Amino acid sequence: MGGRGSGRQATNCGKDVTEESTPLDIRKLARSGLLLPGRSFSWQWTVGDRQVSGITIRVAVQSVQLCYQRRSSGESIDQLVHLQSTPCQFGGARQWFTCPTCGKRVAVLYARGKYFTCRTCCSLGYASQKEGLGDRSSRQANKIQKRLGRAAGILHDEGGKPKGMHWPRYLRFKAEHDRLVQIGLQDMGRKLGLIQKLLDQ
């Protein structure tokens, strides 16, 4: 039987998360029109206006060559990554990376250690997997508020039905939003109570 802190959240608490790693997303490369055989280009990761990392990518017919230098050791790496493609429903094809370690078809590779590999091989989790129930509910409530054209924040003033949205759909969104807000507020109250107990000790 699971107690407090058991379940899915606890299984990932020791993992680094994808949001804190260096992702190479083939969908972004494809949307930018860069996956043309024979092409060579640079790809950078930035934080704000500051570049934090970069690689050179050389494109072949069914593979890409990732060329980069490790910051920790200065070692130059040339990594071959094979590509796969699957047909799209309305024509064309979608490109995928083949994970160099496990061979799985993936859209994103991550730089963890010496080489780029998939999320599973990097032992990476998602930030959402570390969320508690209250945080997850607040995030989901914010998503609904965005769909309703409102500013984020569970304590933000409530707005009305967006123009053009049918009433049944709006009422479904509102009911789900209100349910999630109640969960978020209850969790917030619980946390504040724990903090108060610590302060009273």
Side-chain angles (χ1 to χ4, degrees), residues 26 34-39 57-65 80-85 93-96 98:
I26 197 169
L34 298 173
L35 293 177
L36 301 175
R39 184 163 190 174
I57 301 176
R58 300 189 182 99
V59 185
V61 176
Q62 291 184 317
S63 65
V64 291
Q65 193 85 17
L80 179 68
V81 178
H82 292 286
L83 303 180
Q84 303 181 42
S85 62
R94 179 175 289 111
Q95 296 277 67
W96 304 87
T98 302

Side-chain angles (χ1 to χ4, degrees), residues 16-28 45 53 55 66 68 71 79 81 97-101 104 106-127 129:
D16 291 329
V17 296
T18 57
E19 290 81 355
E20 297 168 354
S21 302
T22 305
L24 182 62
D25 192 329
I26 197 169
R27 295 165 296 191
K28 292 183 178 179
W45 290 268
S53 188
I55 63 174
L66 308 181
Y68 52 97
R71 284 177 294 179
Q79 182 183 10
V81 178
F97 291 126
T98 302
C99 175
T101 300
K104 185 167 64 176
V106 294
V108 186
L109 296 175
Y110 299 91
R112 297 286 294 173
K114 189 172 182 178
Y115 298 110
F116 281 85
T117 57
C118 73
R119 181 181 67 86
T120 302
C121 292
C122 287
S123 298
L124 292 173
Y126 293 113
Q129 292 175 315

Side-chain angles (χ1 to χ4, degrees), residues 165-176:
M165 180 177 286
H166 295 297
W167 274 104
R169 188 182 187 200
Y170 167 70
L171 292 175
R172 285 197 302 271
F173 276 136
K174 185 178 184 304
E176 178 64 8

Side-chain angles (χ1 to χ4, degrees), residues 118-184:
C118 73
R119 181 181 67 86
T120 302
C121 292
C122 287
S123 298
L124 292 173
Y126 293 113
S128 59
Q129 292 175 315
K130 292 189 173 184
E131 290 178 325
L133 179 60
D135 293 332
R136 186 180 303 114
S137 298
S138 297
R139 178 173 56 82
Q140 292 171 343
N142 282 337
K143 289 177 67 175
I144 293 177
Q145 290 196 172
K146 184 177 180 180
R147 296 188 70 172
L148 295 176
R150 304 174 186 171
I154 63 174
L155 299 179
H156 196 273
D157 290 339
E158 182 179 350
K161 181 180 75 68
K163 185 178 180 180
M165 180 177 286
H166 295 297
W167 274 104
R169 188 182 187 200
Y170 167 70
L171 292 175
R172 285 197 302 271
F173 276 136
K174 185 178 184 304
E176 178 64 8
H177 172 268
D178 292 347
R179 184 186 71 84
L180 293 168
V181 166
Q182 286 302 312
I183 295 174

